[in-house]
Amino acid sequence: MEKYRITGGIPLSGAVDISGAKNAVVAILPAVLLSDEPCRIENIPHISDVTTTLKILEKLGAKVAYVDPHTVEIDPRTVTSNEVDHELACKMRASYYFIGALLGKTGSARVPMPGGCWFGERPIDLHIKGFHALGAESIPQEDNVIEMHANQLMGNSVYLDTVSVGATVNIMLAAARARGMTIIENAAKEPHIVDLANFLIRMGADVRGAGTDVIKIRGVQQLSGAVYSIIPDQIEAGTYMAMAAATGGDVLVRNVIPKHLESITTKLDEMGARIEEMDDAVRVRCEGRLRGCNIKTMPHPGFPTDMQPQIAVLLSIAEGEGTITEGVWDNRFRYTEELIRMGAKIEVNGKRAVFQGVDHLTATNVKAMDLRAGAAMVIAGLVAQGVTEIEDIRYIERGYEDIIEKLRRLGAQVERVTDEA
Ligand code: UD1
């Protein structure tokens, strides 16, 4: 069993380079299926969700080749199958993007229900509603598999009852080559939605309004090959910013789009960290103790739910009271049990958590309960007194490239160890 072992108490200092965005790349790689020619995708992060997505593409028949460690060329012309591998689909949430991409490419898709992090029910009814609006039919299956078919996808208006990243992406994928105009209302506005739209446009798609709550897609008959570079990861950047603030460090977080970080910057500033924005970097410094504050997670441009566990560590050690209200998921506070075992004082009541800041956390052995909860455990380990061991690090490695090396370069005492037991 692989673990992270972290000796806490060292302020981080130096510079860290942020990798390509996980939630953008897991949408853009399936989107390559829609092209009639090979595509080259740059700034690909080395994370296990990318490995899984590329394996799914290969199993569908696409040719996948790394040109360099962060650039991959994909030729979708050799795709012969419309059926996503069961084991691979269950490893990650974003495997559901193959429904939209395969429907758009071949008019049919057979995709197992996706896996991924658990924070309460994660329905995909809005995705299905969107596909139905575009003329696809569901073919009933007994084995937890989604099978859909369309003779010809037709553009239509789709109103999303809830702002959903996944449904917005999936409908964009299905609509790119549908006949006529699709209008997605109450669309998600996350940076990765805009990144996907820009990639589709680069291939020749007609997509307008991404980044607002109304996206219009006029279907085209063909899409050509494209070279495209993935945007930097907003959440990875936010995580290193939180690490800098939590450890009382001084870190230059490079290769970021500061605009994407505004909601995080605002809260760190309110808590007493000093943030300096540059063109493509932010410097985070913190002297003295952080202050508690109130945070509510919301769809973009609100404070991202995927930064909720990381900021919770800061509230755990900040002076005074702080609160987090979770505005997206029903059950995203399970990791607080681990922080409480490290000495945090947290009371969770449904979708609200109240933090009474403590002087320090004490190292112990903890589990990464999911990807971002795992990142929170790393932050907790960096600030705790003593040596923290984190189990189930496979969750963390779904979304953080080279986290051990990046932290070491910032001066952290952290290692990946194999527990023979
Ligand atoms: C994506 C992100 C995830 C992030 C989440 C919210 C990816 C691969 N994952 O997940 O990291 O936490 O956005 O920012 O990009 N909902 C429905 N029906 C649906 C779909 C969603 O009711 O068909 C609800 C969900 O239960 C949730 C809310 O809508 O309460 C938002 O979910 P959604 O934005 O779809 O999350 P994901 O796309 O799964």
Side-chain angles (χ1 to χ4, degrees):
M1 186 173 51
E2 308 259 80
K3 296 177 182 179
Y4 292 161
R5 185 178 291 154
I6 305 176
T7 306
I10 302 169
L12 298 189
S13 78
V16 60
D17 291 310
I18 297 306
S19 302
K22 166 186 158 302
N23 286 350
V25 74
V26 295
I28 285 172
L29 292 175
V32 171
L33 287 176
L34 295 166
S35 177
D36 298 305
E37 292 170 349
C39 292
R40 178 182 280 219
I41 312 295
E42 301 169 344
N43 201 29
I44 300 243
H46 262 286
I47 51 175
S48 61
D49 272 15
V50 163
T51 313
T52 304
T53 309
L54 292 175
K55 278 189 191 155
I56 292 176
L57 282 166
E58 276 181 325
K59 283 221 164 193
L60 290 170
K63 286 200 184 111
V64 175
Y66 268 98
V67 179
D68 66 44
H70 293 103
T71 304
V72 73
E73 245 173 31
I74 301 163
D75 186 346
R77 291 173 299 186
T78 46
V79 168
T80 45
S81 167
N82 67 349
E83 187 167 345
V84 169
D85 180 87
H86 191 276
E87 201 183 317
L88 293 171
C90 294
K91 284 189 175 177
M92 57 186 277
R93 191 77 198 152
S95 46
Y96 53 31
Y97 292 149
F98 283 96
I99 312 174
L102 283 166
L103 265 182
K105 183 182 180 70
T106 67
S108 70
R110 197 174 142 76
V111 180
M113 275 299 279
C117 300
W118 190 89
F119 3 87
E121 287 301 309
R122 295 187 75 174
I124 60 164
D125 56 305
L126 295 172
H127 305 227
I128 305 293
K129 179 180 153 185
F131 298 139
H132 287 170
L134 268 58
E137 283 176 16
S138 298
I139 300 170
Q141 302 293 311
E142 285 169 5
D143 49 357
N144 227 7
V145 169
I146 296 153
E147 184 160 349
M148 305 211 69
H149 175 80
N151 287 327
Q152 169 66 59
L153 289 172
M154 302 291 287
N156 201 350
S157 287
V158 184
Y159 176 83
L160 299 179
D161 306 321
T162 306
V163 179
S164 161
V165 171
T168 304
V169 166
N170 241 336
I171 296 165
M172 288 168 74
L173 294 172
R177 295 185 65 155
R179 189 175 293 165
M181 172 83 93
T182 296
I183 302 176
I184 309 173
E185 291 189 73
N186 202 25
K189 296 181 278 203
E190 269 66 5
H192 30 289
I193 303 280
V194 180
D195 209 32
L196 170 66
N198 286 338
F199 174 59
L200 291 171
I201 292 166
R202 189 71 63 84
M203 292 197 294
D206 183 351
V207 183
R208 292 158 204 232
T212 75
D213 53 12
V214 181
I215 302 177
K216 295 184 180 171
I217 304 140
R218 188 181 295 281
V220 294
Q221 283 191 349
Q222 288 183 339
L223 290 174
S224 54
V227 178
Y228 193 77
S229 183
I230 304 287
I231 52 164
D233 196 299
Q234 174 204 28
I235 304 300
E236 189 199 15
T239 303
Y240 283 97
M241 291 168 75
M243 287 170 173
T247 59
D250 182 351
V251 174
L252 186 65
V253 184
R254 296 189 298 214
N255 184 34
V256 300
I257 299 174
K259 177 91 189 141
H260 293 170
L261 302 171
E262 266 171 8
S263 59
I264 301 164
T265 303
T266 304
K267 280 297 156 188
L268 290 178
D269 179 65
E270 197 180 325
M271 294 179 80
R274 283 166 61 197
I275 322 277
E276 225 178 295
E277 278 185 18
M278 287 144 245
D279 284 349
D280 63 355
V282 287
R283 181 177 176 190
V284 183
R285 275 177 285 175
C286 190
E287 287 156 15
R289 200 165 167 199
L290 293 163
R291 295 185 294 272
C293 71
N294 302 318
I295 294 171
K296 177 162 187 193
T297 69
M298 288 196 288
H300 192 77
F303 189 90
T305 173
D306 288 352
M307 274 299 297
Q308 189 247 89
Q310 300 91 312
I311 208 83
V313 182
L314 275 60
L315 293 179
S316 299
I317 52 164
E319 190 168 3
E321 187 174 289
T323 64
I324 297 181
T325 307
E326 172 56 41
V328 178
W329 299 110
D330 288 337
N331 198 338
R332 204 170 188 170
F333 285 122
R334 286 187 311 149
Y335 66 88
T336 54
E337 291 162 23
E338 301 295 271
L339 291 180
I340 290 168
R341 292 201 305 107
M342 295 177 84
K345 289 195 179 146
I346 310 170
E347 259 185 50
V348 176
N349 191 355
K351 292 168 86 168
R352 187 161 185 271
V354 180
F355 299 75
Q356 305 296 341
V358 295
D359 279 352
H360 65 272
L361 297 179
T362 305
T364 183
N365 294 347
V366 290
K367 281 188 172 30
M369 290 190 166
D370 61 54
L371 166 57
R372 307 304 171 185
M377 293 307 119
V378 174
I379 304 178
L382 291 171
V383 298
Q385 292 178 350
V387 178
T388 297
E389 287 196 344
I390 305 174
E391 287 177 17
D392 292 341
I393 57 171
R394 65 183 184 283
Y395 288 117
I396 302 172
E397 296 182 354
R398 281 188 46 214
Y400 288 91
E401 174 170 352
D402 288 343
I403 186 166
I404 294 295
E405 291 73 18
K406 288 186 185 187
L407 282 171
R408 278 204 189 138
R409 271 180 243 131
L410 294 173
Q413 210 174 320
V414 39
E415 53 185 336
R416 196 174 199 281
V417 291
T418 305
D419 185 347
E420 299 303 334

PDB file of all heavy atoms in Angstrom, residues 21 63 67 97 124 126 144 163 181 193 198 203 210 214 218 221 228 230 267 270 286 326 330-331 359-360 392 417:
ATOM      1  N   ALA A  21      -5.563  21.690 -16.708  1.00  0.00           N
ATOM      2  CA  ALA A  21      -6.753  21.490 -15.866  1.00  0.00           C
ATOM      3  C   ALA A  21      -7.378  20.111 -16.064  1.00  0.00           C
ATOM      4  O   ALA A  21      -7.753  19.745 -17.182  1.00  0.00           O
ATOM      5  CB  ALA A  21      -7.790  22.563 -16.177  1.00  0.00           C
ATOM      6  N   LYS A  63      -6.205   6.022 -32.226  1.00  0.00           N
ATOM      7  CA  LYS A  63      -4.742   5.893 -32.094  1.00  0.00           C
ATOM      8  C   LYS A  63      -4.269   7.017 -31.200  1.00  0.00           C
ATOM      9  O   LYS A  63      -4.559   8.193 -31.462  1.00  0.00           O
ATOM     10  CB  LYS A  63      -4.070   6.007 -33.457  1.00  0.00           C
ATOM     11  CG  LYS A  63      -4.261   4.783 -34.306  1.00  0.00           C
ATOM     12  CD  LYS A  63      -3.198   4.731 -35.398  1.00  0.00           C
ATOM     13  CE  LYS A  63      -3.465   3.554 -36.311  1.00  0.00           C
ATOM     14  NZ  LYS A  63      -3.898   3.951 -37.651  1.00  0.00           N
ATOM     15  N   VAL A  67       3.617  12.709 -27.853  1.00  0.00           N
ATOM     16  CA  VAL A  67       4.670  13.355 -28.637  1.00  0.00           C
ATOM     17  C   VAL A  67       5.777  13.807 -27.692  1.00  0.00           C
ATOM     18  O   VAL A  67       6.953  13.742 -28.003  1.00  0.00           O
ATOM     19  CB  VAL A  67       4.088  14.583 -29.390  1.00  0.00           C
ATOM     20  CG1 VAL A  67       5.162  15.297 -30.194  1.00  0.00           C
ATOM     21  CG2 VAL A  67       2.932  14.162 -30.253  1.00  0.00           C
ATOM     22  N   TYR A  97     -18.669  11.711 -20.323  1.00  0.00           N
ATOM     23  CA  TYR A  97     -18.543  12.560 -21.509  1.00  0.00           C
ATOM     24  C   TYR A  97     -18.470  11.737 -22.796  1.00  0.00           C
ATOM     25  O   TYR A  97     -18.643  12.268 -23.886  1.00  0.00           O
ATOM     26  CB  TYR A  97     -17.316  13.473 -21.406  1.00  0.00           C
ATOM     27  CG  TYR A  97     -17.464  14.529 -20.324  1.00  0.00           C
ATOM     28  CD1 TYR A  97     -16.365  15.002 -19.626  1.00  0.00           C
ATOM     29  CD2 TYR A  97     -18.710  15.065 -20.002  1.00  0.00           C
ATOM     30  CE1 TYR A  97     -16.495  15.966 -18.636  1.00  0.00           C
ATOM     31  CE2 TYR A  97     -18.851  16.020 -19.012  1.00  0.00           C
ATOM     32  CZ  TYR A  97     -17.738  16.466 -18.337  1.00  0.00           C
ATOM     33  OH  TYR A  97     -17.877  17.418 -17.351  1.00  0.00           O
ATOM     34  N   ILE A 124     -27.475  11.827 -13.211  1.00  0.00           N
ATOM     35  CA  ILE A 124     -27.137  12.393 -14.523  1.00  0.00           C
ATOM     36  C   ILE A 124     -28.412  12.587 -15.357  1.00  0.00           C
ATOM     37  O   ILE A 124     -28.384  12.554 -16.590  1.00  0.00           O
ATOM     38  CB  ILE A 124     -26.085  11.554 -15.274  1.00  0.00           C
ATOM     39  CG1 ILE A 124     -26.553  10.122 -15.525  1.00  0.00           C
ATOM     40  CG2 ILE A 124     -24.758  11.547 -14.551  1.00  0.00           C
ATOM     41  CD1 ILE A 124     -25.698   9.445 -16.596  1.00  0.00           C
ATOM     42  N   LEU A 126     -30.071  15.226 -15.952  1.00  0.00           N
ATOM     43  CA  LEU A 126     -30.064  16.403 -16.832  1.00  0.00           C
ATOM     44  C   LEU A 126     -29.298  16.127 -18.125  1.00  0.00           C
ATOM     45  O   LEU A 126     -29.636  16.662 -19.186  1.00  0.00           O
ATOM     46  CB  LEU A 126     -29.438  17.603 -16.110  1.00  0.00           C
ATOM     47  CG  LEU A 126     -30.217  18.120 -14.904  1.00  0.00           C
ATOM     48  CD1 LEU A 126     -29.421  19.180 -14.157  1.00  0.00           C
ATOM     49  CD2 LEU A 126     -31.565  18.691 -15.350  1.00  0.00           C
ATOM     50  N   ASN A 144     -26.909  -1.408 -15.307  1.00  0.00           N
ATOM     51  CA  ASN A 144     -26.286  -0.151 -14.924  1.00  0.00           C
ATOM     52  C   ASN A 144     -25.461   0.458 -16.051  1.00  0.00           C
ATOM     53  O   ASN A 144     -24.420   1.064 -15.822  1.00  0.00           O
ATOM     54  CB  ASN A 144     -25.398  -0.363 -13.685  1.00  0.00           C
ATOM     55  CG  ASN A 144     -25.660   0.715 -12.648  1.00  0.00           C
ATOM     56  OD1 ASN A 144     -26.586   1.518 -12.808  1.00  0.00           O
ATOM     57  ND2 ASN A 144     -24.846   0.753 -11.618  1.00  0.00           N
ATOM     58  N   VAL A 163     -27.771  24.164 -12.355  1.00  0.00           N
ATOM     59  CA  VAL A 163     -26.542  24.449 -13.112  1.00  0.00           C
ATOM     60  C   VAL A 163     -25.637  23.219 -13.002  1.00  0.00           C
ATOM     61  O   VAL A 163     -25.224  22.862 -11.901  1.00  0.00           O
ATOM     62  CB  VAL A 163     -25.818  25.688 -12.550  1.00  0.00           C
ATOM     63  CG1 VAL A 163     -24.532  25.943 -13.334  1.00  0.00           C
ATOM     64  CG2 VAL A 163     -26.727  26.900 -12.602  1.00  0.00           C
ATOM     65  N   MET A 181     -29.703  24.331 -34.545  1.00  0.00           N
ATOM     66  CA  MET A 181     -29.197  25.104 -33.408  1.00  0.00           C
ATOM     67  C   MET A 181     -29.621  24.505 -32.066  1.00  0.00           C
ATOM     68  O   MET A 181     -30.798  24.217 -31.859  1.00  0.00           O
ATOM     69  CB  MET A 181     -29.756  26.531 -33.520  1.00  0.00           C
ATOM     70  CG  MET A 181     -29.490  27.405 -32.336  1.00  0.00           C
ATOM     71  SD  MET A 181     -27.867  28.128 -32.420  1.00  0.00           S
ATOM     72  CE  MET A 181     -28.283  29.682 -33.220  1.00  0.00           C
ATOM     73  N   ILE A 193     -15.629  24.891 -19.146  1.00  0.00           N
ATOM     74  CA  ILE A 193     -16.673  24.943 -20.184  1.00  0.00           C
ATOM     75  C   ILE A 193     -16.165  25.823 -21.334  1.00  0.00           C
ATOM     76  O   ILE A 193     -16.312  25.486 -22.515  1.00  0.00           O
ATOM     77  CB  ILE A 193     -17.980  25.561 -19.614  1.00  0.00           C
ATOM     78  CG1 ILE A 193     -18.481  24.782 -18.395  1.00  0.00           C
ATOM     79  CG2 ILE A 193     -19.036  25.724 -20.704  1.00  0.00           C
ATOM     80  CD1 ILE A 193     -19.223  23.537 -18.670  1.00  0.00           C
ATOM     81  N   ASN A 198     -13.712  26.567 -26.705  1.00  0.00           N
ATOM     82  CA  ASN A 198     -12.616  27.053 -27.552  1.00  0.00           C
ATOM     83  C   ASN A 198     -12.003  25.929 -28.374  1.00  0.00           C
ATOM     84  O   ASN A 198     -11.629  26.126 -29.528  1.00  0.00           O
ATOM     85  CB  ASN A 198     -11.537  27.723 -26.681  1.00  0.00           C
ATOM     86  CG  ASN A 198     -12.006  29.083 -26.188  1.00  0.00           C
ATOM     87  OD1 ASN A 198     -12.899  29.697 -26.786  1.00  0.00           O
ATOM     88  ND2 ASN A 198     -11.434  29.555 -25.096  1.00  0.00           N
ATOM     89  N   MET A 203     -11.772  23.351 -33.822  1.00  0.00           N
ATOM     90  CA  MET A 203     -11.998  22.251 -34.790  1.00  0.00           C
ATOM     91  C   MET A 203     -13.001  22.656 -35.878  1.00  0.00           C
ATOM     92  O   MET A 203     -13.276  21.881 -36.789  1.00  0.00           O
ATOM     93  CB  MET A 203     -12.555  21.011 -34.068  1.00  0.00           C
ATOM     94  CG  MET A 203     -11.570  20.334 -33.133  1.00  0.00           C
ATOM     95  SD  MET A 203     -12.078  18.659 -32.692  1.00  0.00           S
ATOM     96  CE  MET A 203     -13.567  18.943 -31.744  1.00  0.00           C
ATOM     97  N   ALA A 210     -20.172  30.614 -24.478  1.00  0.00           N
ATOM     98  CA  ALA A 210     -19.585  29.837 -23.373  1.00  0.00           C
ATOM     99  C   ALA A 210     -18.964  30.797 -22.362  1.00  0.00           C
ATOM    100  O   ALA A 210     -18.290  31.757 -22.735  1.00  0.00           O
ATOM    101  CB  ALA A 210     -18.537  28.870 -23.909  1.00  0.00           C
ATOM    102  N   VAL A 214     -26.056  31.227 -21.231  1.00  0.00           N
ATOM    103  CA  VAL A 214     -26.744  30.751 -22.435  1.00  0.00           C
ATOM    104  C   VAL A 214     -25.678  30.419 -23.486  1.00  0.00           C
ATOM    105  O   VAL A 214     -24.912  31.285 -23.907  1.00  0.00           O
ATOM    106  CB  VAL A 214     -27.715  31.813 -23.005  1.00  0.00           C
ATOM    107  CG1 VAL A 214     -28.414  31.257 -24.245  1.00  0.00           C
ATOM    108  CG2 VAL A 214     -28.747  32.229 -21.961  1.00  0.00           C
ATOM    109  N   ARG A 218     -24.506  25.927 -33.139  1.00  0.00           N
ATOM    110  CA  ARG A 218     -25.111  25.571 -34.434  1.00  0.00           C
ATOM    111  C   ARG A 218     -24.309  24.396 -34.980  1.00  0.00           C
ATOM    112  O   ARG A 218     -23.099  24.511 -35.193  1.00  0.00           O
ATOM    113  CB  ARG A 218     -25.064  26.762 -35.395  1.00  0.00           C
ATOM    114  CG  ARG A 218     -25.850  26.524 -36.684  1.00  0.00           C
ATOM    115  CD  ARG A 218     -25.756  27.710 -37.615  1.00  0.00           C
ATOM    116  NE  ARG A 218     -26.377  28.915 -37.081  1.00  0.00           N
ATOM    117  CZ  ARG A 218     -27.689  29.156 -37.077  1.00  0.00           C
ATOM    118  NH1 ARG A 218     -28.516  28.266 -37.573  1.00  0.00           N
ATOM    119  NH2 ARG A 218     -28.164  30.269 -36.568  1.00  0.00           N
ATOM    120  N   GLN A 221     -21.360  20.017 -40.198  1.00  0.00           N
ATOM    121  CA  GLN A 221     -21.292  18.644 -40.727  1.00  0.00           C
ATOM    122  C   GLN A 221     -19.947  17.986 -40.490  1.00  0.00           C
ATOM    123  O   GLN A 221     -19.848  16.778 -40.373  1.00  0.00           O
ATOM    124  CB  GLN A 221     -21.603  18.672 -42.224  1.00  0.00           C
ATOM    125  CG  GLN A 221     -23.095  18.830 -42.453  1.00  0.00           C
ATOM    126  CD  GLN A 221     -23.458  18.597 -43.901  1.00  0.00           C
ATOM    127  OE1 GLN A 221     -22.591  18.518 -44.756  1.00  0.00           O
ATOM    128  NE2 GLN A 221     -24.744  18.490 -44.155  1.00  0.00           N
ATOM    129  N   TYR A 228      -4.305  22.142 -29.717  1.00  0.00           N
ATOM    130  CA  TYR A 228      -4.937  22.916 -28.634  1.00  0.00           C
ATOM    131  C   TYR A 228      -4.210  22.690 -27.318  1.00  0.00           C
ATOM    132  O   TYR A 228      -3.816  21.566 -27.007  1.00  0.00           O
ATOM    133  CB  TYR A 228      -6.416  22.503 -28.489  1.00  0.00           C
ATOM    134  CG  TYR A 228      -7.169  23.475 -27.635  1.00  0.00           C
ATOM    135  CD1 TYR A 228      -7.574  24.703 -28.152  1.00  0.00           C
ATOM    136  CD2 TYR A 228      -7.433  23.203 -26.287  1.00  0.00           C
ATOM    137  CE1 TYR A 228      -8.230  25.630 -27.356  1.00  0.00           C
ATOM    138  CE2 TYR A 228      -8.085  24.126 -25.489  1.00  0.00           C
ATOM    139  CZ  TYR A 228      -8.481  25.335 -26.038  1.00  0.00           C
ATOM    140  OH  TYR A 228      -9.117  26.258 -25.249  1.00  0.00           O
ATOM    141  N   ILE A 230      -4.380  22.939 -23.186  1.00  0.00           N
ATOM    142  CA  ILE A 230      -5.335  22.946 -22.068  1.00  0.00           C
ATOM    143  C   ILE A 230      -5.024  24.113 -21.110  1.00  0.00           C
ATOM    144  O   ILE A 230      -3.851  24.385 -20.829  1.00  0.00           O
ATOM    145  CB  ILE A 230      -5.217  21.617 -21.273  1.00  0.00           C
ATOM    146  CG1 ILE A 230      -5.424  20.400 -22.185  1.00  0.00           C
ATOM    147  CG2 ILE A 230      -6.125  21.589 -20.046  1.00  0.00           C
ATOM    148  CD1 ILE A 230      -6.820  20.163 -22.632  1.00  0.00           C
ATOM    149  N   LYS A 267     -11.164  35.133  -0.727  1.00  0.00           N
ATOM    150  CA  LYS A 267     -11.325  34.528   0.609  1.00  0.00           C
ATOM    151  C   LYS A 267      -9.987  34.445   1.347  1.00  0.00           C
ATOM    152  O   LYS A 267      -9.922  34.698   2.548  1.00  0.00           O
ATOM    153  CB  LYS A 267     -11.949  33.125   0.476  1.00  0.00           C
ATOM    154  CG  LYS A 267     -13.446  33.183   0.277  1.00  0.00           C
ATOM    155  CD  LYS A 267     -14.161  33.803   1.481  1.00  0.00           C
ATOM    156  CE  LYS A 267     -15.488  34.400   1.113  1.00  0.00           C
ATOM    157  NZ  LYS A 267     -16.130  35.175   2.203  1.00  0.00           N
ATOM    158  N   GLU A 270      -9.332  37.782   2.674  1.00  0.00           N
ATOM    159  CA  GLU A 270     -10.183  38.049   3.847  1.00  0.00           C
ATOM    160  C   GLU A 270      -9.632  37.345   5.098  1.00  0.00           C
ATOM    161  O   GLU A 270      -9.762  37.828   6.215  1.00  0.00           O
ATOM    162  CB  GLU A 270     -11.601  37.541   3.534  1.00  0.00           C
ATOM    163  CG  GLU A 270     -12.682  38.092   4.438  1.00  0.00           C
ATOM    164  CD  GLU A 270     -14.048  37.522   4.048  1.00  0.00           C
ATOM    165  OE1 GLU A 270     -14.313  37.293   2.845  1.00  0.00           O
ATOM    166  OE2 GLU A 270     -14.848  37.288   4.981  1.00  0.00           O
ATOM    167  N   CYS A 286       1.966  34.705   3.796  1.00  0.00           N
ATOM    168  CA  CYS A 286       1.179  34.827   5.019  1.00  0.00           C
ATOM    169  C   CYS A 286       2.106  34.893   6.222  1.00  0.00           C
ATOM    170  O   CYS A 286       2.984  34.043   6.388  1.00  0.00           O
ATOM    171  CB  CYS A 286       0.231  33.631   5.133  1.00  0.00           C
ATOM    172  SG  CYS A 286      -0.945  33.840   6.444  1.00  0.00           S
ATOM    173  N   GLU A 326     -22.099  24.395   2.060  1.00  0.00           N
ATOM    174  CA  GLU A 326     -21.878  23.712   0.783  1.00  0.00           C
ATOM    175  C   GLU A 326     -23.115  23.917  -0.094  1.00  0.00           C
ATOM    176  O   GLU A 326     -24.221  23.504   0.261  1.00  0.00           O
ATOM    177  CB  GLU A 326     -21.614  22.220   1.034  1.00  0.00           C
ATOM    178  CG  GLU A 326     -21.556  21.337  -0.192  1.00  0.00           C
ATOM    179  CD  GLU A 326     -20.542  21.768  -1.250  1.00  0.00           C
ATOM    180  OE1 GLU A 326     -19.421  22.165  -0.901  1.00  0.00           O
ATOM    181  OE2 GLU A 326     -20.897  21.703  -2.447  1.00  0.00           O
ATOM    182  N   ASP A 330     -24.621  17.338  -1.640  1.00  0.00           N
ATOM    183  CA  ASP A 330     -25.377  17.039  -0.418  1.00  0.00           C
ATOM    184  C   ASP A 330     -24.482  16.556   0.714  1.00  0.00           C
ATOM    185  O   ASP A 330     -24.808  16.717   1.879  1.00  0.00           O
ATOM    186  CB  ASP A 330     -26.405  15.919  -0.693  1.00  0.00           C
ATOM    187  CG  ASP A 330     -27.536  16.445  -1.541  1.00  0.00           C
ATOM    188  OD1 ASP A 330     -27.735  17.673  -1.526  1.00  0.00           O
ATOM    189  OD2 ASP A 330     -28.187  15.630  -2.224  1.00  0.00           O
ATOM    190  N   ASN A 331     -23.368  15.918   0.379  1.00  0.00           N
ATOM    191  CA  ASN A 331     -22.601  15.233   1.416  1.00  0.00           C
ATOM    192  C   ASN A 331     -21.102  15.369   1.156  1.00  0.00           C
ATOM    193  O   ASN A 331     -20.461  14.425   0.700  1.00  0.00           O
ATOM    194  CB  ASN A 331     -23.026  13.750   1.423  1.00  0.00           C
ATOM    195  CG  ASN A 331     -22.626  13.071   2.702  1.00  0.00           C
ATOM    196  OD1 ASN A 331     -21.715  13.525   3.402  1.00  0.00           O
ATOM    197  ND2 ASN A 331     -23.276  11.978   3.023  1.00  0.00           N
ATOM    198  N   ASP A 359      -5.193  26.200  17.828  1.00  0.00           N
ATOM    199  CA  ASP A 359      -3.799  26.666  17.668  1.00  0.00           C
ATOM    200  C   ASP A 359      -3.017  25.835  16.663  1.00  0.00           C
ATOM    201  O   ASP A 359      -2.209  26.333  15.907  1.00  0.00           O
ATOM    202  CB  ASP A 359      -3.036  26.476  19.004  1.00  0.00           C
ATOM    203  CG  ASP A 359      -3.333  27.599  19.937  1.00  0.00           C
ATOM    204  OD1 ASP A 359      -3.980  28.547  19.480  1.00  0.00           O
ATOM    205  OD2 ASP A 359      -2.913  27.510  21.110  1.00  0.00           O
ATOM    206  N   HIS A 360      -3.227  24.521  16.763  1.00  0.00           N
ATOM    207  CA  HIS A 360      -2.439  23.644  15.895  1.00  0.00           C
ATOM    208  C   HIS A 360      -3.185  22.318  15.679  1.00  0.00           C
ATOM    209  O   HIS A 360      -4.052  21.957  16.474  1.00  0.00           O
ATOM    210  CB  HIS A 360      -1.068  23.363  16.528  1.00  0.00           C
ATOM    211  CG  HIS A 360      -1.162  22.596  17.812  1.00  0.00           C
ATOM    212  ND1 HIS A 360      -1.321  23.210  19.030  1.00  0.00           N
ATOM    213  CD2 HIS A 360      -1.147  21.256  18.061  1.00  0.00           C
ATOM    214  CE1 HIS A 360      -1.400  22.281  19.973  1.00  0.00           C
ATOM    215  NE2 HIS A 360      -1.299  21.089  19.404  1.00  0.00           N
ATOM    216  N   ASP A 392      -4.693   5.781   0.946  1.00  0.00           N
ATOM    217  CA  ASP A 392      -5.602   5.902  -0.205  1.00  0.00           C
ATOM    218  C   ASP A 392      -5.226   7.065  -1.111  1.00  0.00           C
ATOM    219  O   ASP A 392      -6.101   7.801  -1.609  1.00  0.00           O
ATOM    220  CB  ASP A 392      -7.070   6.042   0.269  1.00  0.00           C
ATOM    221  CG  ASP A 392      -7.570   4.763   0.913  1.00  0.00           C
ATOM    222  OD1 ASP A 392      -6.956   3.702   0.684  1.00  0.00           O
ATOM    223  OD2 ASP A 392      -8.564   4.820   1.660  1.00  0.00           O
ATOM    224  N   VAL A 417       5.709   6.531   0.413  1.00  0.00           N
ATOM    225  CA  VAL A 417       6.316   5.320   0.962  1.00  0.00           C
ATOM    226  C   VAL A 417       5.424   4.115   0.677  1.00  0.00           C
ATOM    227  O   VAL A 417       4.216   4.250   0.507  1.00  0.00           O
ATOM    228  CB  VAL A 417       6.534   5.428   2.500  1.00  0.00           C
ATOM    229  CG1 VAL A 417       7.597   6.441   2.815  1.00  0.00           C
ATOM    230  CG2 VAL A 417       5.241   5.767   3.222  1.00  0.00           C
TER     231      VAL A 417
END
